[in-house]
Amino acid sequence: MRKILLLATVAALAACGGNATKKAETPQTKRPQTETRTQTAGGYTAMRVPTAEDKAVFDEAMKGLAGVTYTPDSVATQIVNGTNYKFLCTARTAAREPMTYRAEAVVYKPLPQSGGQAVLTSIVRLAEPHAAADARPAKAPADGRATGAYTAMRVPTAEDKAVFDEAMKGLAGVTYTPDSVATQIVNGTNYKFLCEGETSTNPPMKFDAEVIVHQPLPSAGDKPYITAIRRM
């Protein structure tokens, strides 16, 4: 009887040991980890050299803009409801005595499903270290008006609107309607227009903007052109 019990115990222990060995030898299958990368909205990326695609967006937004030629040197992007492109450019006026300066142009490219084209939302001239030393002295106009600061804002006259329309001619993607204007006598005249902007996107976006237009002196024979667009 004792032999039978002993043999049964040994058999049970052997069975347990066999199962343990099998469990130890069974390889553990690991599930592959998947990595999902999503592009989220946020700040601008670091500046980089524009690609052919970046330049195509830039050219689409700047098409029709006359008076100044902008060459993009670097770009940063920002994901919004679409994409903002911040271009640092070299600007050169089309005047008889051309001026070259640095500028920042912001272009908005809507999402593909909206079907809208790239639009210029702001463009500003950047301050340069030696701008004061390089600035051309303002010539006093023949009618005796003094050079200096901007006048008070007022309702645009037909003449103001004609200057505005000439400068904005050809600019696509956003329609600007001037509500008020102030002028500044420089080497010519600067017009500061406060406007309502409306994009041609679907759906359209409305915003307030400040548009600066420079009208060269009549003796220069040059047309007015946009020097800045600031979204407010």
Side-chain angles (χ1 to χ4, degrees), residues 33-51:
Q33 295 181 351
T34 58
E35 183 181 357
T36 303
R37 295 184 180 181
T38 56
Q39 201 169 13
T40 57
Y44 277 96
T45 63
M47 281 285 172
R48 55 178 171 75
V49 176
T51 64

Side-chain angles (χ1 to χ4, degrees), residues 44 78 80-85 104-110 118-125 168 173-176 192-201 203-212 226-232:
Y44 277 96
Q78 178 191 37
V80 287
N81 188 20
T83 305
N84 284 330
Y85 293 77
E104 177 188 278
V106 177
V107 172
Y108 170 68
K109 179 67 174 177
V119 296
L120 178 66
T121 59
S122 75
I123 187 164
V124 293
R125 181 171 178 170
M168 302 296 286
V174 183
T175 300
Y176 292 96
K192 182 191 293 184
F193 293 95
L194 297 185
C195 310
E196 180 180 291
E198 182 173 355
T199 66
S200 57
T201 56
M205 294 183 294
K206 292 185 178 182
F207 55 91
D208 294 326
E210 178 186 271
V211 178
I212 308 295
I226 300 168
T227 60
I229 298 176
R230 299 183 182 91
R231 187 166 177 171
M232 302 172 67

Side-chain angles (χ1 to χ4, degrees), residues 83-147:
T83 305
N84 284 330
Y85 293 77
K86 182 189 292 183
F87 293 95
L88 296 184
C89 312
T90 298
R92 183 179 176 84
T93 64
R96 293 183 182 181
E97 298 181 13
M99 294 184 293
T100 301
Y101 55 90
R102 299 286 292 163
E104 177 188 278
V106 177
V107 172
Y108 170 68
K109 179 67 174 177
L111 292 170
Q113 58 265 33
S114 71
Q117 69 177 62
V119 296
L120 178 66
T121 59
S122 75
I123 187 164
V124 293
R125 181 171 178 170
L126 299 177
E128 299 179 16
H130 304 293
D134 297 338
R136 300 179 184 180
K139 297 179 182 179
D143 59 8
R145 291 176 297 163
T147 60

Side-chain angles (χ1 to χ4, degrees), residues 3-27:
K3 288 183 179 181
I4 293 173
L5 290 174
L6 181 60
L7 290 173
T9 302
V10 171
L13 290 174
C16 292
N19 290 337
T21 303
K22 287 181 181 179
K23 288 181 180 179
E25 291 175 352
T26 302

